[in-house]
Amino acid sequence: MRAQRPYSKRMNVITVTNLTKRYDATLAVDGVSFDVAAGGTLGLLGGNGAGKTTTIAMLLGLLIPTAGEITILGHNMARDRFAALARMNFSSPYVSLPGRLSVRENLQVYGHLYSVRGIAARIAELARELDLEALLERPAGALSAGQKTRVALAKSLINRPDVLLLDEPTASLDPDTADLVRSWLERYRAETGCTILLASHNMAEVERLCSDVVMLKKGRIVDRGTPADLLERYGRDDLEQVFLDIARDRGIQEVAI
Amino acid sequence: MISAMRDSGERIWGLMFRHIALYRGSWPRLIELAYWPILQMCIWGFTANFLASRIGSTAAFAGGALLGGVLLWEVALRSQMGLSVSFLEEIWSRNLGHVFVSPLRPLEMVVALVAMSMLRMLAGLVPAIVLAWVLYAFNLFAIGPVLVLFFANLMIMGWAVALAVISLILRHGAGAEALAWSVLFGLTPFCAVFYPVSILPHGAREIAFIVPGSHVFEGMRTMMLEGVIDWGELGWAFGLNLIWLAGAAFIFRQQFQVARTRGALIAIGE
């Protein structure tokens, strides 16, 4: 792993301004703005249909926004997304890797797509760190859900990204493996200064990994802050209660009563 | 500049490697590539032999034209299917989301798929060409070096049609995937693979004129019958292919943007 930060801590690596996505009559994302500082981890939280996946898809350039602007690593994603994409990566349990290819072949493919130098060594390094050595020659489609999640994480780290977008990174993992993955992500961020945007329904994970949280509901940001800020504001002991308060429209004052 | 070109080449190779690895690990897929061209060649070869034994030398030429037509038609068909099916493989494996968020440019993806379609076409066609020579003493290469130009034109036509098919898949989702197998068959009558364009009725003849393949097959028959290269037909084939390819590239680019606007790249295949 690299030891240097790609940016100074004060710089915003991700800047999202007034991001909007409309599908005909449906407003999926409605004027969302946020920044993520270098080395920070932002948790994107919200119930189903809140706009998390749509926001991530726009950040990755898979989806063209109806309005608004996204800048990642200094590149405007509308005009210059490939320069940013080379230094980003992404993992989601909802997107698969080719199941008939072995784990090693899959990682080789993405090593080439991201122009990684020394692909074999990088694969060996990731296999060792994510406990994938025994799985390398197995077809990706024959793995258990938890193993697939670890392989997807390895794929997302193949290019040593400066920006990592993770959608449910520990979905389907048993508590022990999930904990290992979280520890690994914490270490990776500490050692590389990688900036992470994380969408998760696991509130314990968000509390542990995220420096900031954005709460989305019906495509709009309804609250934001550090996990500690949110707990204090809502008078709760854990983020899950805060999540439920927001999801069920229990406002701050109502909760306080 | 050199570094950017090297990275681009590596990305293209990355996507090619993904498909090569798929075939390397699956002998049924490899056999499937050659199965249909060999079957076609056998059927038309025996037909040609039968005609030659009953009618004589005129049928011998017709038999040669039939076999040449079958083999060259497979060039167009395999090129088109090779490109379309390679794209569909990404949809079937739900891998498009990963591919499109990598630094791979759409043009690089097309180049990789074109290269794969060439490999698939050769893997399917070479056994059929060899078998035609062994079984029927039909040597496709006797047409001469101009064969390369016939091949090139038919491949380009196949790629243009494949890009249009991919555009339709981007537009209408995996529901349009049946077109990957069927669309070129719809052009067969107008390509005049087994008969001269002059046989076609009025109206169909005009359509045939704007299909690049028809000029290739006219050129092939002229070469086999008179032993001369019809540069006029080849010129038309190349000119039309340029227009077809430019049109298909425009449609692909436009539909790719539409897919990014509608969110189809996230949902495609589901």
Side-chain angles (χ1 to χ4, degrees):
Chain A
M1 288 185 188
R2 286 168 297 175
Q4 80 280 11
R5 269 177 197 286
Y7 281 84
S8 96
K9 249 184 164 176
R10 282 167 297 184
M11 285 183 75
N12 287 326
V13 168
I14 301 175
T15 302
V16 172
T17 312
N18 199 27
L19 192 64
T20 302
K21 184 65 192 178
R22 179 184 285 281
Y23 297 107
D24 300 324
T26 309
L27 204 51
V29 174
D30 185 8
V32 165
S33 300
F34 59 83
D35 302 316
V36 190
T41 299
L42 178 77
L44 211 52
L45 304 187
N48 297 327
K52 303 187 298 293
T53 304
T54 307
T55 302
I56 288 179
M58 287 190 281
L59 287 170
L60 288 164
L62 274 177
L63 192 59
I64 298 175
T66 307
E69 198 171 88
I70 301 166
T71 305
I72 299 180
L73 294 162
H75 301 282
N76 184 303
M77 292 301 279
R79 294 190 296 269
D80 193 20
R81 73 180 191 281
F82 292 111
L85 286 174
R87 296 169 58 193
M88 295 167 65
N89 216 314
F90 152 77
S91 171
S92 166
Y94 309 112
V95 183
S96 304
L97 293 168
R100 293 183 194 280
L101 268 60
S102 70
V103 171
R104 186 189 299 280
E105 286 168 339
N106 267 301
L107 295 176
Q108 284 173 327
V109 168
Y110 283 95
H112 288 300
L113 289 182
Y114 283 91
S115 306
V116 173
R117 305 284 165 244
I119 294 173
R122 181 64 181 148
I123 291 173
E125 184 183 14
L126 284 168
R128 201 168 47 249
E129 290 175 0
L130 289 168
D131 195 20
L132 295 173
E133 282 164 317
L135 306 178
L136 282 176
E137 310 311 326
R138 287 179 58 185
L143 303 179
S144 71
Q147 290 167 335
K148 281 180 185 167
T149 306
R150 273 189 290 146
V151 172
L153 191 62
K155 173 260 156 190
S156 72
L157 297 165
I158 192 81
N159 60 328
R160 298 180 178 88
D162 293 328
V163 174
L164 194 51
L165 273 64
L166 301 171
D167 192 4
E168 303 278 350
T170 57
S172 315
L173 295 181
D174 63 68
D176 178 45
T177 315
D179 181 67
L180 286 174
V181 168
R182 285 174 202 134
S183 301
W184 201 88
L185 283 172
E186 283 177 316
R187 191 157 57 88
Y188 179 77
R189 185 189 54 191
E191 290 179 5
T192 65
C194 175
T195 305
I196 298 175
L197 190 140
L198 174 88
S200 177
H201 288 131
N202 186 320
M203 297 302 132
E205 176 171 281
V206 172
E207 275 188 74
R208 176 170 165 183
L209 292 178
C210 296
S211 48
D212 288 286
V213 171
V214 162
M215 293 281 194
L216 286 172
K217 189 174 180 184
K218 293 178 184 167
R220 307 191 73 163
I221 294 179
V222 288
D223 214 336
R224 69 175 87 201
T226 66
D229 284 345
L230 289 170
L231 293 177
E232 190 183 326
R233 207 177 307 154
Y234 285 79
R236 295 294 189 179
D237 296 326
D238 59 62
L239 268 186
E240 187 148 340
Q241 290 298 321
V242 175
F243 182 92
L244 291 173
D245 289 339
I246 291 172
R248 293 171 186 175
D249 286 326
R250 297 197 294 243
I252 296 168
Q253 286 180 340
E254 186 187 340
V255 170
I257 293 165
Chain B
M1 180 70 178
I2 291 170
S3 166
M5 282 175 67
R6 187 187 59 191
D7 286 351
S8 176
E10 183 151 7
R11 289 191 291 270
I12 290 168
W13 166 243
L15 197 59
M16 286 180 69
F17 175 75
R18 176 251 189 276
H19 291 281
I20 290 168
L22 188 67
Y23 279 90
R24 200 171 54 178
S26 172
W27 61 262
R29 280 173 194 267
L30 274 173
I31 288 177
E32 189 271 332
L33 286 179
Y35 174 76
W36 189 248
I38 288 175
L39 194 71
Q40 284 279 80
M41 192 275 304
C42 284
I43 290 169
W44 290 104
F46 288 126
T47 307
N49 271 0
F50 169 71
L51 290 173
S53 67
R54 290 297 173 95
I55 305 172
S57 61
T58 311
F61 162 73
L66 277 178
L67 277 177
V70 166
L71 292 172
L72 284 183
W73 179 242
E74 286 296 323
V75 173
L77 193 63
R78 298 292 129 191
S79 300
Q80 181 261 313
M81 282 173 57
L83 208 162
S84 309
V85 172
S86 295
F87 182 79
L88 280 170
E89 293 277 7
E90 305 297 353
I91 294 177
W92 294 330
S93 59
R94 296 176 64 233
N95 186 41
L96 267 186
H98 283 311
V99 170
F100 283 131
V101 303
S102 78
L104 184 80
R105 278 67 165 165
L107 179 64
E108 291 167 349
M109 185 192 76
V110 171
V111 170
L113 296 184
V114 160
M116 278 314 300
S117 95
M118 284 176 78
L119 291 178
R120 288 173 60 125
M121 185 271 291
L122 288 173
L125 204 65
V126 169
I129 291 173
V130 171
L131 219 58
W133 183 69
V134 172
L135 290 179
Y136 313 113
F138 176 77
N139 181 8
L140 187 67
F141 299 105
I143 291 175
V146 73
L147 188 67
V148 175
L149 299 179
F150 291 161
F151 263 61
N153 270 296
L154 291 168
M155 284 192 293
I156 295 169
M157 185 181 84
W159 297 334
V161 173
L163 274 182
V165 169
I166 292 173
S167 304
L168 281 168
I169 293 169
L170 284 172
R171 178 77 181 168
H172 299 287
E177 70 181 48
L179 291 170
W181 284 272
S182 58
V183 74
L184 209 61
F185 286 108
L187 284 178
T188 320
F190 306 105
C191 277
V193 179
F194 303 118
Y195 43 76
V197 171
S198 56
I199 288 292
L200 291 171
H202 190 62
R205 224 178 298 166
E206 283 69 24
I207 296 173
F209 183 75
I210 56 169
V211 176
S214 70
H215 297 278
V216 173
F217 289 105
E218 290 286 84
M220 179 201 75
R221 280 184 289 271
T222 304
M223 187 67 204
M224 292 176 86
L225 193 63
E226 299 167 25
V228 294
I229 299 170
D230 190 334
W231 291 107
E233 293 287 8
L234 268 173
W236 273 110
F238 269 117
L240 285 167
N241 263 328
L242 249 159
I243 295 168
W244 276 44
L245 200 59
F250 174 76
I251 293 167
F252 171 76
R253 188 182 156 84
Q254 198 185 36
Q255 287 309 314
F256 185 72
Q257 285 303 98
V258 169
R260 285 183 65 216
T261 303
R262 292 169 58 232
L265 297 182
I266 312 164
I268 205 164
E270 290 182 0

